[in-house]
Amino acid sequence: MVIVVGSGAGGATVAKELAAKHITVKLIERGPAIEEKDAFRCYADTESEVKVLRAICLGGSTTVSAGNGVRCLETELREAGIDLKHEFEAAERELGVSVLPDALFGEGTKRIMEAAESLGFKIEKTPKFIDADRCKPDGRCVFGCPEGAKWTALRFVQEARREGAKIITNTTVDEVVVKSGEVKR
Ligand SMILES: Cc1cc2nc3c(=O)[nH]c(=O)nc-3n(C[C@H](O)[C@H](O)[C@H](O)COP(=O)(O)OP(=O)(O)OC[C@H]3O[C@@H](n4cnc5c(N)ncnc54)[C@H](O)[C@@H]3O)c2cc1C
């Protein structure tokens, strides 16, 4: 059996992949199960001096993400001999990453694009893991999408559950007890 701690981008992905291979998975999440539209209630760290925003709930910080599906360090890793092209493509297919139509851009974004173009800068639109057909441009991505248009790790949690994973919420893992090189509980 594999115990996965945390149900955000990392944990939910691991749980889904393992469960699909018929490995027994228990996914333990500190926060509650929520509806996506209520994710803003789960922001943590808002009172700390250095604000590292994150959400403590099923789906983790992906529930409040802006939906930007940008490839990270692709060039730098390739220069170091690690080519992740196929992995990026697979992730983009799975998350439904694409560039949204201009009709879904906010007024501010359109103005910045116009101003940049008038100054001779080339505009590149940010790829998004947002379903354009379901998206309403209300700027509520980072509150929790009321339309369920944005990919969140909740989808992977659901897939893991369908494959038999046990999902435990409102439970914090405080310590991993290791005896003779083995995790005991
Ligand atoms: C406002 C905001 C906007 C963002 N926008 C984007 C974006 O547009 N594009 C992008 O790529 N990224 C974005 N990010 C970043 C992205 O959401 C994170 O990089 C990603 O979710 C990190 O995945 P993770 O699994 O490491 O952590 P998280 O997704 O935060 O998940 C960690 C989970 O583990 C749980 N947990 C932690 N400790 C324990 C414990 N001891 N026991 C049990 N459970 C525990 C937490 O409750 C949480 O649910 C954004 C983040 C924020 C906050």
Side-chain angles (χ1 to χ4, degrees), residues 103-177:
L104 292 174
F105 290 178
E107 206 45 48
T109 305
K110 284 181 189 158
R111 284 195 184 193
I112 289 170
M113 285 165 60
E114 281 164 19
E117 267 169 355
S118 73
L119 291 168
F121 290 106
K122 183 171 168 268
I123 302 294
E124 280 188 42
K125 296 170 185 169
T126 306
K128 297 270 187 177
F129 40 85
I130 293 176
D131 180 349
D133 293 333
R134 293 167 76 181
C135 175
K136 295 212 172 98
D138 54 15
R140 290 171 67 183
C141 308
V142 295
F143 293 83
C145 178
E147 316 300 330
K150 181 183 73 185
W151 175 87
T152 75
L154 286 170
R155 295 190 196 168
F156 284 1
V157 172
Q158 280 154 11
E159 276 184 52
R161 185 184 277 128
R162 273 198 297 275
E163 295 287 351
K166 185 161 189 219
I167 316 296
I168 301 163
T169 53
N170 296 307
T171 303
T172 302
V173 173
D174 292 318
E175 191 186 358
V176 178
V177 180

Coordinates of all heavy atoms in Angstrom, one line a residue, residues 103-177:
A103 N -12.0 36.9 -26.9 CA -13.3 37.2 -26.3 C -13.3 37.0 -24.8 O -14.1 37.6 -24.0 CB -14.4 36.5 -26.9
L104 N -12.4 36.1 -24.3 CA -12.4 35.8 -22.9 C -11.3 36.6 -22.1 O -11.1 36.4 -20.9 CB -12.1 34.3 -22.7 CG -13.2 33.4 -23.1 CD1 -12.8 31.9 -23.0 CD2 -14.5 33.6 -22.3
F105 N -10.6 37.5 -22.8 CA -9.6 38.4 -22.1 C -10.3 39.5 -21.4 O -11.3 40.1 -22.0 CB -8.6 38.9 -23.1 CG -7.7 37.9 -23.7 CD1 -6.7 38.2 -24.7 CD2 -7.7 36.6 -23.3 CE1 -5.9 37.3 -25.2 CE2 -6.9 35.6 -23.8 CZ -5.9 36.0 -24.8
G106 N -9.8 39.9 -20.3 CA -10.4 41.1 -19.6 C -10.0 42.4 -20.2 O -9.0 42.4 -21.1
E107 N -10.7 43.4 -19.9 CA -10.4 44.7 -20.5 C -8.9 45.2 -20.2 O -8.3 45.7 -21.1 CB -11.4 45.8 -19.9 CG -11.7 46.9 -20.8 CD -11.9 46.6 -22.2 OE1 -12.7 45.6 -22.5 OE2 -11.3 47.2 -23.1
G108 N -8.5 44.9 -19.0 CA -7.1 45.3 -18.6 C -6.1 44.6 -19.5 O -5.1 45.2 -20.0
T109 N -6.3 43.3 -19.7 CA -5.3 42.5 -20.5 C -5.3 43.0 -21.9 O -4.2 43.2 -22.5 CB -5.8 41.0 -20.5 OG1 -5.9 40.6 -19.2 CG2 -4.8 40.2 -21.3
K110 N -6.5 43.3 -22.4 CA -6.6 43.8 -23.8 C -5.8 45.2 -23.9 O -5.1 45.4 -24.9 CB -8.0 44.0 -24.3 CG -8.7 42.7 -24.6 CD -10.1 43.0 -25.0 CE -10.9 41.8 -25.1 NZ -12.4 42.0 -25.0
R111 N -5.9 46.0 -23.0 CA -5.2 47.3 -23.0 C -3.7 47.1 -22.9 O -3.0 47.8 -23.6 CB -5.7 48.2 -21.9 CG -7.1 48.8 -22.1 CD -7.4 49.9 -21.2 NE -8.7 50.4 -21.3 CZ -9.1 51.5 -20.8 NH1 -8.3 52.2 -20.1 NH2 -10.3 51.9 -20.9
I112 N -3.3 46.2 -22.1 CA -1.8 46.0 -21.9 C -1.3 45.5 -23.3 O -0.2 45.9 -23.8 CB -1.5 45.0 -20.8 CG1 -1.8 45.7 -19.4 CG2 -0.1 44.5 -20.8 CD1 -1.8 44.8 -18.3
M113 N -2.1 44.5 -23.9 CA -1.6 44.0 -25.2 C -1.5 45.1 -26.2 O -0.6 45.2 -27.0 CB -2.6 42.9 -25.7 CG -2.5 41.6 -24.9 SD -3.9 40.5 -25.1 CE -3.9 40.2 -26.8
E114 N -2.6 46.0 -26.3 CA -2.5 47.0 -27.3 C -1.3 48.0 -27.0 O -0.6 48.3 -28.0 CB -3.8 47.9 -27.2 CG -5.0 47.2 -27.8 CD -6.4 47.8 -27.4 OE1 -6.3 48.9 -26.9 OE2 -7.4 47.1 -27.6
A115 N -1.1 48.3 -25.7 CA 0.0 49.2 -25.4 C 1.3 48.6 -25.8 O 2.2 49.3 -26.4 CB -0.1 49.6 -23.9
A116 N 1.5 47.3 -25.5 CA 2.7 46.6 -25.8 C 3.0 46.6 -27.3 O 4.1 46.8 -27.7 CB 2.7 45.2 -25.2
E117 N 1.9 46.2 -28.0 CA 2.0 46.2 -29.5 C 2.4 47.5 -30.1 O 3.3 47.6 -31.0 CB 0.7 45.7 -30.1 CG 0.8 44.1 -30.3 CD -0.6 43.6 -30.6 OE1 -1.6 44.3 -30.6 OE2 -0.6 42.4 -30.9
S118 N 1.8 48.6 -29.5 CA 2.1 49.9 -30.0 C 3.5 50.3 -29.8 O 4.1 51.2 -30.4 CB 1.1 50.9 -29.4 OG 1.4 51.2 -28.1
L119 N 4.1 49.7 -28.8 CA 5.5 50.0 -28.5 C 6.5 49.0 -29.2 O 7.7 49.0 -29.0 CB 5.8 49.9 -26.9 CG 5.1 50.9 -26.1 CD1 5.2 50.6 -24.6 CD2 5.8 52.3 -26.3
G120 N 5.9 48.1 -30.0 CA 6.7 47.3 -30.8 C 7.1 45.9 -30.2 O 7.9 45.2 -30.7
F121 N 6.4 45.6 -29.0 CA 6.7 44.3 -28.4 C 5.8 43.2 -29.0 O 4.7 43.5 -29.4 CB 6.4 44.4 -26.9 CG 7.4 45.2 -26.1 CD1 7.0 46.5 -25.7 CD2 8.7 44.8 -25.9 CE1 7.9 47.3 -25.0 CE2 9.6 45.6 -25.2 CZ 9.2 46.8 -24.7
K122 N 6.4 42.0 -29.1 CA 5.6 40.9 -29.6 C 4.8 40.3 -28.5 O 5.4 40.0 -27.4 CB 6.6 39.8 -30.2 CG 6.0 38.6 -30.8 CD 7.0 37.8 -31.5 CE 6.4 36.4 -31.9 NZ 6.6 35.4 -30.9
I123 N 3.5 40.1 -28.7 CA 2.7 39.6 -27.7 C 2.6 38.1 -27.8 O 2.4 37.5 -28.9 CB 1.2 40.1 -27.8 CG1 1.2 41.7 -27.8 CG2 0.3 39.5 -26.8 CD1 1.6 42.2 -26.4
E124 N 2.8 37.4 -26.7 CA 2.6 35.9 -26.7 C 1.5 35.7 -25.6 O 1.7 36.0 -24.5 CB 3.9 35.2 -26.3 CG 4.8 35.0 -27.5 CD 6.0 34.1 -27.2 OE1 5.8 33.1 -26.6 OE2 7.1 34.5 -27.6
K125 N 0.4 35.0 -26.0 CA -0.7 34.8 -25.1 C -0.3 33.6 -24.2 O 0.2 32.6 -24.7 CB -1.9 34.5 -25.9 CG -2.3 35.8 -26.7 CD -3.5 35.5 -27.6 CE -3.7 36.8 -28.4 NZ -4.6 36.6 -29.6
T126 N -0.7 33.7 -23.0 CA -0.4 32.6 -22.0 C -1.3 31.4 -22.2 O -2.5 31.6 -22.2 CB -0.6 33.1 -20.6 OG1 0.1 34.3 -20.4 CG2 -0.2 32.1 -19.5
P127 N -0.7 30.2 -22.4 CA -1.5 29.0 -22.5 C -2.2 28.8 -21.2 O -1.7 29.0 -20.1 CB -0.6 27.9 -22.9 CG 0.8 28.5 -22.9 CD 0.7 29.9 -22.5
K128 N -3.5 28.3 -21.2 CA -4.3 28.1 -20.0 C -4.8 26.7 -19.9 O -5.2 26.1 -21.0 CB -5.5 29.1 -20.1 CG -5.1 30.5 -20.1 CD -5.0 31.0 -18.6 CE -4.8 32.5 -18.6 NZ -4.8 33.0 -17.2
F129 N -4.9 26.2 -18.7 CA -5.7 24.9 -18.6 C -7.1 25.2 -18.2 O -7.6 24.9 -17.1 CB -5.0 23.9 -17.7 CG -4.3 24.4 -16.4 CD1 -5.1 24.6 -15.3 CD2 -3.0 24.7 -16.4 CE1 -4.5 25.1 -14.1 CE2 -2.3 25.2 -15.2 CZ -3.1 25.4 -14.1
I130 N -7.8 25.9 -19.1 CA -9.1 26.4 -18.9 C -9.9 26.0 -20.1 O -9.5 26.2 -21.3 CB -9.2 27.9 -18.7 CG1 -8.5 28.2 -17.4 CG2 -10.6 28.4 -18.7 CD1 -8.4 29.7 -17.1
D131 N -11.1 25.4 -19.9 CA -12.0 25.0 -21.0 C -12.7 26.3 -21.5 O -13.6 26.8 -20.8 CB -13.0 24.0 -20.5 CG -13.9 23.5 -21.6 OD1 -14.0 24.1 -22.7 OD2 -14.6 22.5 -21.4
A132 N -12.4 26.7 -22.7 CA -13.0 28.0 -23.2 C -14.5 27.9 -23.3 O -15.2 28.9 -23.2 CB -12.4 28.3 -24.6
D133 N -15.0 26.7 -23.6 CA -16.5 26.6 -23.8 C -17.2 26.8 -22.4 O -18.4 27.2 -22.5 CB -16.8 25.2 -24.3 CG -16.3 25.1 -25.7 OD1 -16.2 26.1 -26.4 OD2 -16.0 23.9 -26.1
R134 N -16.5 26.5 -21.3 CA -17.2 26.7 -20.0 C -16.8 28.0 -19.3 O -17.5 28.4 -18.3 CB -16.9 25.5 -19.1 CG -17.5 24.2 -19.7 CD -16.9 23.0 -19.0 NE -17.4 22.8 -17.7 CZ -17.1 21.8 -16.9 NH1 -16.2 20.9 -17.3 NH2 -17.6 21.7 -15.7
C135 N -15.8 28.6 -19.8 CA -15.2 29.8 -19.0 C -16.1 31.0 -19.2 O -16.6 31.3 -20.3 CB -13.8 30.1 -19.6 SG -13.1 31.6 -18.9
K136 N -16.4 31.7 -18.0 CA -17.0 33.0 -18.1 C -15.9 34.0 -17.6 O -15.4 33.8 -16.5 CB -18.2 33.0 -17.2 CG -19.4 32.1 -17.6 CD -20.7 32.7 -17.2 CE -21.8 31.9 -17.8 NZ -22.4 31.0 -16.9
P137 N -15.6 35.0 -18.3 CA -14.5 35.9 -18.0 C -14.8 36.8 -16.8 O -14.9 38.0 -16.9 CB -14.2 36.7 -19.2 CG -15.5 36.7 -20.0 CD -16.3 35.5 -19.6
D138 N -15.0 36.2 -15.6 CA -15.4 36.9 -14.4 C -14.2 37.1 -13.5 O -14.4 37.7 -12.4 CB -16.5 36.2 -13.7 CG -16.2 34.8 -13.3 OD1 -15.0 34.4 -13.4 OD2 -17.1 34.0 -13.0
G139 N -13.0 36.7 -13.9 CA -11.8 36.9 -13.1 C -11.8 36.2 -11.7 O -11.1 36.6 -10.8
R140 N -12.6 35.1 -11.6 CA -12.7 34.4 -10.4 C -11.8 33.1 -10.3 O -12.0 32.3 -9.4 CB -14.1 34.1 -10.0 CG -14.9 35.4 -9.7 CD -16.4 35.2 -9.7 NE -16.8 34.4 -8.5 CZ -18.0 34.0 -8.3 NH1 -19.0 34.4 -9.1 NH2 -18.3 33.2 -7.2
C141 N -10.9 33.0 -11.2 CA -10.0 31.8 -11.2 C -9.4 31.6 -9.8 O -9.4 30.5 -9.3 CB -8.9 31.9 -12.2 SG -9.4 32.3 -13.9
V142 N -8.8 32.6 -9.2 CA -8.1 32.5 -8.0 C -9.0 32.5 -6.8 O -8.5 32.4 -5.6 CB -7.0 33.6 -7.8 CG1 -5.9 33.4 -8.9 CG2 -7.6 35.0 -7.8
F143 N -10.3 32.5 -7.0 CA -11.2 32.3 -5.9 C -11.8 30.9 -5.8 O -12.3 30.4 -4.8 CB -12.4 33.3 -6.0 CG -12.0 34.7 -5.8 CD1 -11.5 35.4 -6.9 CD2 -12.2 35.4 -4.6 CE1 -11.1 36.8 -6.8 CE2 -11.8 36.7 -4.5 CZ -11.3 37.4 -5.5
G144 N -11.7 30.2 -7.0 CA -12.3 28.9 -7.2 C -13.3 29.1 -8.3 O -14.2 29.9 -8.2
C145 N -13.1 28.3 -9.4 CA -13.9 28.6 -10.6 C -15.4 28.1 -10.4 O -15.6 26.9 -10.1 CB -13.3 27.9 -11.8 SG -14.3 28.1 -13.3
P146 N -16.4 29.0 -10.4 CA -17.7 28.6 -10.2 C -18.3 27.7 -11.4 O -19.3 27.0 -11.2 CB -18.5 29.9 -10.2 CG -17.5 31.0 -10.2 CD -16.2 30.4 -10.7
E147 N -17.6 27.8 -12.5 CA -18.1 27.1 -13.7 C -17.4 25.7 -13.8 O -17.8 24.9 -14.7 CB -17.8 27.8 -15.0 CG -18.1 29.3 -15.0 CD -19.5 29.6 -14.7 OE1 -20.4 28.7 -15.0 OE2 -19.9 30.6 -14.0
G148 N -16.4 25.5 -13.0 CA -15.6 24.2 -13.2 C -14.9 24.2 -14.5 O -14.6 23.1 -15.1
A149 N -14.5 25.4 -15.0 CA -13.9 25.4 -16.4 C -12.4 25.2 -16.3 O -11.7 24.8 -17.2 CB -14.1 26.8 -17.0
K150 N -11.8 25.4 -15.1 CA -10.4 25.3 -14.9 C -10.0 23.9 -14.4 O -10.7 23.4 -13.6 CB -9.9 26.4 -13.9 CG -8.5 26.5 -13.6 CD -8.2 27.5 -12.5 CE -8.7 27.0 -11.1 NZ -8.6 28.0 -10.1
W151 N -8.9 23.4 -15.0 CA -8.4 22.1 -14.4 C -7.9 22.3 -13.0 O -7.3 23.3 -12.7 CB -7.2 21.6 -15.3 CG -6.7 20.3 -14.6 CD1 -7.1 19.0 -14.8 CD2 -5.6 20.2 -13.6 NE1 -6.4 18.2 -14.0 CE2 -5.5 18.9 -13.3 CE3 -4.8 21.2 -13.0 CZ2 -4.6 18.4 -12.3 CZ3 -3.9 20.7 -12.0 CH2 -3.8 19.4 -11.7
T152 N -8.3 21.4 -12.1 CA -7.8 21.4 -10.8 C -7.4 19.9 -10.5 O -7.9 19.0 -11.1 CB -8.7 21.9 -9.7 OG1 -9.7 20.9 -9.5 CG2 -9.4 23.3 -10.1
A153 N -6.6 19.8 -9.4 CA -6.2 18.4 -9.0 C -7.4 17.6 -8.5 O -7.3 16.4 -8.3 CB -5.1 18.5 -7.9
L154 N -8.5 18.3 -8.3 CA -9.7 17.6 -7.8 C -10.1 16.5 -8.9 O -10.7 15.4 -8.5 CB -10.9 18.5 -7.6 CG -10.8 19.4 -6.4 CD1 -11.9 20.5 -6.4 CD2 -11.0 18.5 -5.1
R155 N -9.8 16.8 -10.2 CA -10.2 15.8 -11.2 C -9.3 14.6 -11.0 O -9.8 13.5 -11.2 CB -9.9 16.5 -12.6 CG -10.9 17.6 -12.8 CD -10.9 18.0 -14.3 NE -11.5 19.4 -14.4 CZ -11.4 20.1 -15.4 NH1 -10.8 19.7 -16.5 NH2 -12.0 21.3 -15.5
F156 N -8.0 14.8 -10.7 CA -7.2 13.6 -10.5 C -7.6 12.9 -9.2 O -7.5 11.6 -9.1 CB -5.7 14.0 -10.4 CG -5.1 14.4 -11.7 CD1 -5.8 14.3 -12.9 CD2 -3.8 14.7 -11.8 CE1 -5.3 14.6 -14.2 CE2 -3.2 15.1 -13.1 CZ -3.9 15.0 -14.2
V157 N -8.0 13.6 -8.2 CA -8.5 13.0 -7.0 C -9.7 12.1 -7.3 O -9.8 10.9 -6.8 CB -8.9 14.0 -5.9 CG1 -9.5 13.3 -4.7 CG2 -7.6 14.8 -5.4
Q158 N -10.6 12.6 -8.1 CA -11.8 11.8 -8.5 C -11.4 10.6 -9.3 O -11.9 9.5 -9.1 CB -12.7 12.7 -9.3 CG -13.6 13.6 -8.4 CD -14.0 14.9 -9.1 OE1 -13.9 15.0 -10.3 NE2 -14.6 15.8 -8.4
E159 N -10.4 10.8 -10.2 CA -9.9 9.6 -11.0 C -9.3 8.5 -10.0 O -9.6 7.3 -10.2 CB -8.9 10.0 -12.0 CG -9.5 10.6 -13.3 CD -8.4 10.9 -14.3 OE1 -7.6 10.0 -14.6 OE2 -8.4 12.0 -14.8
A160 N -8.5 9.0 -9.1 CA -7.9 8.1 -8.1 C -9.0 7.3 -7.4 O -8.9 6.1 -7.2 CB -7.0 8.8 -7.2
R161 N -10.0 8.1 -6.9 CA -11.1 7.4 -6.2 C -11.8 6.4 -7.0 O -12.1 5.3 -6.6 CB -12.1 8.5 -5.7 CG -13.2 7.9 -4.8 CD -14.2 9.0 -4.5 NE -13.8 9.8 -3.3 CZ -13.8 11.2 -3.3 NH1 -14.2 11.8 -4.4 NH2 -13.4 11.8 -2.3
R162 N -12.1 6.7 -8.3 CA -12.7 5.8 -9.2 C -11.9 4.5 -9.4 O -12.5 3.4 -9.5 CB -13.0 6.4 -10.6 CG -14.3 7.2 -10.7 CD -14.6 7.4 -12.2 NE -13.7 8.2 -12.9 CZ -13.6 9.6 -12.9 NH1 -14.5 10.2 -12.2 NH2 -12.7 10.2 -13.6
E163 N -10.6 4.7 -9.3 CA -9.7 3.5 -9.4 C -9.5 2.8 -8.1 O -8.7 1.9 -8.0 CB -8.3 3.9 -10.0 CG -8.4 4.5 -11.4 CD -8.6 3.4 -12.4 OE1 -8.6 2.2 -12.1 OE2 -8.8 3.8 -13.6
G164 N -10.2 3.2 -7.1 CA -10.2 2.5 -5.8 C -9.4 3.1 -4.7 O -9.3 2.5 -3.6
A165 N -8.8 4.3 -4.9 CA -8.0 4.9 -3.8 C -9.0 5.4 -2.7 O -10.1 5.8 -3.0 CB -7.3 6.1 -4.4
K166 N -8.5 5.3 -1.5 CA -9.3 5.8 -0.4 C -8.8 7.2 -0.1 O -7.6 7.5 0.1 CB -9.0 4.9 0.9 CG -9.9 5.3 2.0 CD -10.1 4.3 3.0 CE -11.2 4.7 4.0 NZ -10.9 4.4 5.4
I167 N -9.8 8.2 0.0 CA -9.5 9.6 0.2 C -9.9 10.0 1.6 O -11.0 9.8 2.0 CB -10.2 10.5 -0.9 CG1 -10.2 9.9 -2.3 CG2 -9.7 11.9 -0.8 CD1 -8.8 9.8 -2.9
I168 N -8.9 10.4 2.4 CA -9.2 10.8 3.8 C -8.9 12.3 3.9 O -7.8 12.8 3.6 CB -8.3 10.0 4.7 CG1 -8.5 8.5 4.5 CG2 -8.5 10.4 6.2 CD1 -7.4 7.7 5.1
T169 N -9.9 13.1 4.3 CA -9.8 14.5 4.4 C -9.8 14.9 5.9 O -10.0 14.1 6.8 CB -11.0 15.3 3.7 OG1 -12.2 14.7 4.1 CG2 -10.9 15.1 2.2
N170 N -9.5 16.2 6.1 CA -9.5 16.8 7.5 C -8.5 16.0 8.4 O -8.8 15.9 9.6 CB -10.9 16.8 8.1 CG -11.8 17.7 7.3 OD1 -11.5 18.9 7.1 ND2 -12.9 17.2 6.9
T171 N -7.4 15.5 7.8 CA -6.5 14.7 8.6 C -5.0 15.2 8.2 O -4.6 15.2 7.1 CB -6.6 13.2 8.3 OG1 -8.0 12.9 8.5 CG2 -5.7 12.4 9.1
T172 N -4.3 15.6 9.3 CA -2.9 16.1 9.1 C -2.0 15.0 9.4 O -2.1 14.3 10.5 CB -2.7 17.3 10.0 OG1 -3.6 18.3 9.7 CG2 -1.3 17.8 9.8
V173 N -1.0 14.8 8.5 CA 0.1 13.8 8.8 C 1.2 14.6 9.6 O 1.7 15.6 9.1 CB 0.7 13.2 7.5 CG1 1.9 12.4 7.8 CG2 -0.4 12.4 6.8
D174 N 1.4 14.2 10.9 CA 2.4 15.0 11.7 C 3.8 14.4 11.6 O 4.7 15.0 11.8 CB 1.9 14.9 13.2 CG 0.7 15.7 13.4 OD1 0.6 16.8 12.8 OD2 -0.2 15.2 14.1
E175 N 3.8 13.1 11.4 CA 5.1 12.4 11.5 C 5.0 11.1 10.7 O 4.0 10.4 10.6 CB 5.4 12.0 13.0 CG 6.7 11.6 13.3 CD 6.9 11.1 14.7 OE1 5.9 11.2 15.5 OE2 8.0 10.7 15.0
V176 N 6.2 10.7 10.1 CA 6.3 9.4 9.5 C 7.2 8.6 10.3 O 8.3 8.9 10.5 CB 6.8 9.6 8.0 CG1 7.0 8.2 7.4 CG2 6.0 10.5 7.2
V177 N 6.6 7.5 10.9 CA 7.4 6.7 11.8 C 8.2 5.6 11.0 O 7.6 4.8 10.3 CB 6.5 6.0 12.9 CG1 7.3 5.1 13.8 CG2 5.7 7.1 13.6

